[in-house]
Amino acid sequence: MNATILNPSIDRDKLESLAYSKVTWRLLPFLFLCYVAAYLDRVNVGFAKLQMLNDLKFSDTVYGLGAGIFFIGYFFFEIPSNVLMHRFGARLWISRIMITWAVISSATLYVSTPTSFYILRFLLGIAEAGFFPGIVLYLTYWYPAERRSRVNALFMMGIPVAGVIGGPLSGWIMQAFNGVHGLANWQWLFLLEAIPSIVLGVITLIYLPNGIRAAKWLTEPEKKLLEEKIAQDGAGKLHATVGSVLGNGRVWFMAAIYFCCMMGLYGVGFYLPTLIKAAGVKDVLDVGMLTAIPYGCAIVAMLLIARSADRLRERRWHFAAAGLMASVGLLLATVFGSNVELAMIALSLGTAGVLATMPVFWAWPSAMLGGSAAAAGIGLINSVGNLAGFVSPTIVGWMKDVTNSTNAGIYVIAAALFAGACLAFLQPREVQTR
């Protein structure tokens, strides 16, 4: 007798495996590309800094404030953006976000004063608000909690891949286009790296389904099975009003942990080229090529740690180990800051640790929150956490002007990462094991 008749669950397991394979191959590569474009537009100012500050006579304090003020606009519009996406659908809202941020990012080539720099960075934050937490929320429409660390890792690999691709690309643009048609190399950088976001934003309107029911490439049995998995996953989660989520202490506690992660992420994102240059690498193309190494290490660390966290159903130790690795790596980068080889090893360790915290972290709030509570809670956590994107470069820039070294600022970032690793152990066990 056929084994599938004796055990109908075999057919269900095969159907589930096929359905999730379809979802993953259909959605993740595209969302991944969108995130690569998003992160390039967000942090290419770190490469532009190598020449922009000299051309415009900006201090490191001006740069740090301008890099960070992005996150003030981001903070105020994050939760409304995520709630609107939940209401109007991912396809339209994500497309709107991508096109508007690309237009504003390209306009940065017209910056000539600190004020114009601040204004455009602030507007860029408003435009991009909701993209990252919107995608995190969108993935909860498709995947249950036990699959989420790995899925988050595949999506969030956009950050290190943006570093692997964007570093050499940015270095090449700044070397090859300097003075072309009367524009400086950093002006070409903002213009050319905005193009992929516009193209992907238009494609999003055609390609991205709003949810399981709208996916024409799934069969009806596959849709029903996936909807059942999401319904089961939603049992026991917090479904509440936006107002009650804003007053939930556990959500704010997660936001504090995420703030510590983001101190590291934007410390690396905005200052990695500067740290490599300070180690003794002078040519801008060489700096771009070398930035690919730490981000390449981060890709491996993200996948391995996220896979282990899902397999063992354990989050706290995995998160803490990654956070500690990041803290130690950045501290060692200051110790060996004048030795290119040792500095690159330390920066690779720090970058890998910083990025490996992210997919493990985002399995926590999506395991606890559902429905509109998830939209508001994920938006709140991301917006508060991303305020570190203002604090981190502002502190480093100010301390660089005061002490003529980035070391003191890096110490603050390393301390924040260590604090986040410690706070992880205060997470409730029922959340961290889901």
Side-chain angles (χ1 to χ4, degrees):
M1 187 177 294
N2 193 304
T4 58
I5 298 176
L6 291 174
N7 189 0
S9 67
I10 294 177
D11 282 340
R12 181 179 173 85
D13 290 344
K14 287 182 178 178
L15 183 64
E16 181 179 336
S17 178
L18 177 61
Y20 279 117
S21 178
K22 280 186 179 181
V23 170
T24 298
W25 282 106
R26 178 79 181 194
L27 298 183
L28 265 297
F30 181 72
L31 295 176
F32 168 85
L33 285 176
C34 290
Y35 198 29
V36 169
Y39 200 72
L40 276 178
D41 280 344
R42 182 183 295 189
V43 302
N44 56 11
V45 69
F47 261 96
K49 172 184 182 289
L50 299 177
Q51 186 62 39
M52 181 181 180
L53 267 63
N54 185 61
D55 288 353
L56 301 179
K57 310 305 180 194
F58 287 177
S59 68
D60 278 279
T61 300
V62 169
Y63 166 75
L65 181 58
I69 207 168
F70 167 98
F71 297 96
I72 302 300
Y74 196 92
F75 173 78
F76 285 112
F77 286 85
E78 182 85 339
I79 295 175
S81 181
N82 226 33
V83 172
L84 287 170
M85 193 201 86
H86 185 65
R87 180 177 299 175
F88 295 117
R91 184 176 66 231
L92 177 63
W93 202 247
I94 292 171
S95 175
R96 191 282 304 165
I97 289 172
M98 296 190 70
I99 293 171
T100 53
W101 95 47
V103 171
I104 294 170
S105 180
S106 66
T108 310
L109 70 91
Y110 296 110
V111 162
S112 59
T113 65
T115 300
S116 60
F117 183 44
Y118 299 153
I119 290 172
L120 281 172
R121 291 292 296 176
F122 181 77
L123 292 176
L124 185 63
I126 293 174
E128 194 183 322
F131 176 76
F132 175 79
I135 300 298
V136 171
L137 175 65
Y138 180 68
L139 292 174
T140 69
Y141 300 164
W142 300 85
Y143 294 95
E146 68 266 15
R147 293 177 178 266
R148 218 161 278 154
S149 283
R150 285 166 291 176
V151 170
N152 286 343
L154 290 172
F155 165 59
M156 293 174 196
M157 273 200 312
I159 296 177
V161 169
V164 170
I165 297 172
L169 176 63
S170 298
W172 174 76
I173 289 173
M174 292 189 69
Q175 185 179 72
F177 283 81
N178 192 29
V180 175
H181 296 299
L183 295 179
N185 51 13
W186 57 270
Q187 292 176 305
W188 278 108
L189 183 68
F190 287 121
L191 179 62
L192 295 178
E193 290 191 350
I195 294 172
S197 295
I198 294 176
V199 173
L200 289 168
V202 173
I203 294 174
T204 297
L205 283 171
I206 304 167
Y207 187 82
L208 201 66
N210 282 326
I212 294 170
R213 190 48 48 185
K216 297 178 181 179
W217 33 269
L218 289 174
T219 65
E220 187 60 30
E222 289 168 343
K223 289 179 182 179
K224 288 182 177 179
L225 185 147
L226 295 181
E227 287 170 340
E228 287 175 13
K229 295 288 290 184
I230 295 301
Q232 293 168 6
D233 187 58
K237 289 185 179 181
L238 174 63
H239 293 261
T241 65
V242 172
S244 63
V245 170
L246 297 182
N248 188 296
R250 287 170 67 182
V251 173
W252 282 97
F253 181 73
M254 289 185 189
I257 296 175
Y258 194 56
F259 181 91
C260 296
C261 295
M262 294 298 95
M263 284 289 288
L265 179 66
Y266 292 112
V268 169
F270 289 128
Y271 282 95
L272 184 59
T274 300
L275 294 171
I276 293 174
K277 185 177 180 180
V281 181
K282 301 304 180 185
D283 185 81
V284 68
L285 181 59
D286 290 339
V287 172
M289 297 298 289
L290 287 174
T291 58
I293 296 174
Y295 285 115
C297 294
I299 293 172
V300 177
M302 289 177 77
L303 289 174
L304 292 179
I305 292 177
R307 180 176 296 178
S308 176
D310 274 351
R311 180 173 57 85
L312 299 176
R313 304 290 289 270
E314 196 290 320
R315 315 262 181 225
R316 289 181 293 190
W317 280 102
H318 285 82
F319 179 90
L324 183 61
M325 181 168 67
S327 181
V328 170
L330 292 181
L331 284 175
L332 291 176
T334 66
V335 174
F336 302 116
S338 59
N339 183 301
V340 176
E341 292 79 11
L342 294 178
M344 288 303 303
I345 293 171
L347 288 170
S348 296
L349 182 68
T351 303
V354 166
L355 286 159
T357 64
M358 292 185 63
V360 179
F361 172 85
W362 280 110
W364 278 328
S366 57
M368 186 183 82
L369 304 168
S372 61
I378 290 172
L380 172 65
I381 291 166
N382 195 62
S383 61
V384 171
N386 271 283
L387 284 177
F390 173 76
V391 175
S392 182
T394 302
I395 286 176
V396 177
W398 174 72
M399 288 187 169
K400 173 69 161 52
D401 280 338
V402 171
T403 67
N404 202 33
S405 171
T406 56
N407 286 358
I410 299 300
Y411 296 153
V412 173
I413 292 169
L417 287 163
F418 180 77
C422 294
L423 289 174
F425 290 105
L426 299 178
Q427 282 283 63
R429 182 174 177 80
E430 65 271 19
V431 173
Q432 73 95 15
T433 57
R434 284 197 67 175

